[in-house]
Amino acid sequence: MIARSVAVRQGRRTLATPLPRSIVRQITTDTNPGVQTADQSQIEKSFQAPEAHHNRWKQVSSARKKQKALRDRISMLGVDSAHEHRSLAWTRSVKNDATGEVVLSPSERFAEFQRIQNHTRNLGSHVDRRYSPTQLLANPPGPRDVTLELLMASQTHMGHHKSLWNPANARSIYGVRHGIHIISLETTAAHLRRAARVVEDVAYHGGLILFVGNRKGQMEIVTKAAEMAGACHLFTKWTPGGITNRDVILAQQTVKVVDQKDKDLDGFETYKNAMRPLMPDLVVCLNPMENYTLLYECGLKDIPTIGVIDTNADPTWVTYTIPANDDSLRSIAVIAGVLGRAGEAGQKRRREVSSKGQVPWETSGAITRHMLNEVDKAIKKRKEVMGKLQQNVMGFNEEEEQILLSAKQASPTFEVGEGDMMDMLKEAMAGEVEADAKTDAAEVTLAEVVAETIPTTSLDHIEAGLEAARQQAADIEAAVAESLAAQAKESQSESKTKE
């Protein structure tokens, strides 16, 4: 029946009172021409006030009026009829005559509440994302950002079952909950800040740091931390003997020599080929349980280590412990990010100091000895080239010509003005005059000495002596020529007899 749907569409007011029988007859699908319709105004009054339901409807016998009333009633059942329907008094806004205030309806009050909430929901608070997995890798926290809330949110306080604990970790355990050891977050924060200071100082003094983390999912964490700290990283299995037997295992690894500004230096090719492989100055191990061999080798070579120690690990394996959960990637990401930021701060401090001409580290003894040997070789080579130059030896090679060119460039140059040139010319002219006077005086004295030592009457005797010496020399030459000719004849005769 359509009458049932009419009651539902008209709402609460229609369901409050039953429909009159005449109305039911008017809106049924079975039409009867003999049924008379009621007045339209009376039908509207029946829907507006419940008191009018006891009135009887006046029937008409005209079939046209009946059809018109039926069409009007059907049109009232449309969408617009819901807007024309008057609801109960408590659902409408009412004006108080005494105070003049308007009491809003529930729908109006709810709309006003939503409007106020939309305007004031962001006042007095800052809504942000508390955790993002990629944020710890892209922008990890620094040592000053370490808080107990951050450590708890990162699950660093979760230990292992109490049956698996190591008694050496008793000082870092806060308590037990549901059979699980809870690590003290205050101890974790203090040890993490101490480890961050160690990493920063090692990076400031130009030390070599090695980050190790070879569990599943730790590759990106380790590489990012090492990249920030300017260090090395290892995310695969440690090769036993990489430190104690490094001459054999790391023989093929390349080494570079840099200055205080991290720029490669030339001239160390012979040193690179002869030097031993390097050892790290600090090792940061994120999972000590799987890297006991590495930590043992570091202990043999007195290399300091930093390790994340869970409740089931031995804290004596490392030098600086960080009691925390080593099974959570989020916990490891926070710890590695803090240490990476510390290394980055140390590198920044070192570069700032180096730009001012101060070097905060000492060069190793091997490099110092190599540099002294190279200096001695250069000095000897320079002396050899200068000796050749003094002896007018030509044909220098490229290295020797480079040494001469560098010496010429290193010699000081002076600028001389016109006034200086005039003074130098005057001094030169005065010196020439004095030299001429001295030479004249010397010639006079020499002539006097010769006149005194050689008598004038003995010149003929000297010429005769010289002529006799010439004759003797000619005789000696003739005798030598005769003897040579005789020896030649004898040798020819001996050769003929042999034949």
Side-chain angles (χ1 to χ4, degrees), residues 13 110 139 146 163 205 224 313 331 439 442 453 486:
R13 178 62 178 168
F110 181 72
N139 187 19
V146 176
S163 62
H205 289 90
K224 182 62 177 179
S331 173
T439 52
T453 55

Side-chain angles (χ1 to χ4, degrees), residues 88-198:
L88 296 177
W90 65 272
T91 62
R92 299 191 302 270
S93 59
V94 180
K95 183 177 180 180
N96 193 348
D97 298 335
T99 59
E101 297 180 356
V102 178
V103 180
L104 301 177
S105 62
S107 60
E108 293 175 347
R109 288 198 296 269
F110 181 72
E112 183 67 16
F113 168 74
Q114 287 185 331
R115 186 186 66 81
I116 295 173
Q117 190 179 27
N118 292 334
H119 284 79
T120 61
R121 65 175 56 188
N122 294 329
L123 297 179
S125 63
H126 178 68
V127 181
D128 57 350
R129 300 180 63 182
R130 302 304 301 171
Y131 171 65
S132 177
T134 58
Q135 189 67 17
L136 289 177
L137 296 176
N139 187 19
R144 296 185 178 181
D145 301 329
V146 176
T147 59
L148 300 184
E149 292 81 3
L150 175 63
L151 296 177
M152 178 172 286
S154 304
Q155 302 175 358
T156 56
H157 63 288
M158 299 295 295
H160 287 272
H161 195 270
K162 62 180 182 181
S163 62
L164 302 175
W165 80 308
N166 192 320
N169 295 318
R171 66 179 66 184
S172 61
I173 295 177
Y174 179 78
V176 180
R177 182 175 179 84
H178 298 300
I180 304 298
H181 275 131
I182 305 300
I183 302 174
S184 176
L185 293 178
E186 295 179 354
T187 306
T188 302
H191 284 67
L192 181 57
R193 294 191 185 100
R194 181 184 65 173
R197 288 198 301 270
V198 172

Side-chain angles (χ1 to χ4, degrees), residues 362-393:
E362 296 181 358
T363 307
S364 63
I367 296 180
T368 303
R369 290 191 295 270
H370 173 75
M371 294 171 65
L372 293 176
N373 293 334
E374 291 295 327
V375 170
D376 294 339
K377 291 180 181 179
I379 292 174
K380 292 180 180 179
K381 189 67 176 177
R382 184 187 180 94
K383 289 181 178 179
E384 292 178 0
V385 173
M386 292 303 174
K388 291 181 180 180
L389 184 64
Q390 291 177 359
Q391 296 176 4
N392 295 325
V393 177

Side-chain angles (χ1 to χ4, degrees), residues 25 143 272 281 339:
R25 276 202 243 155
K272 292 178 182 179
D281 298 309
L339 298 181

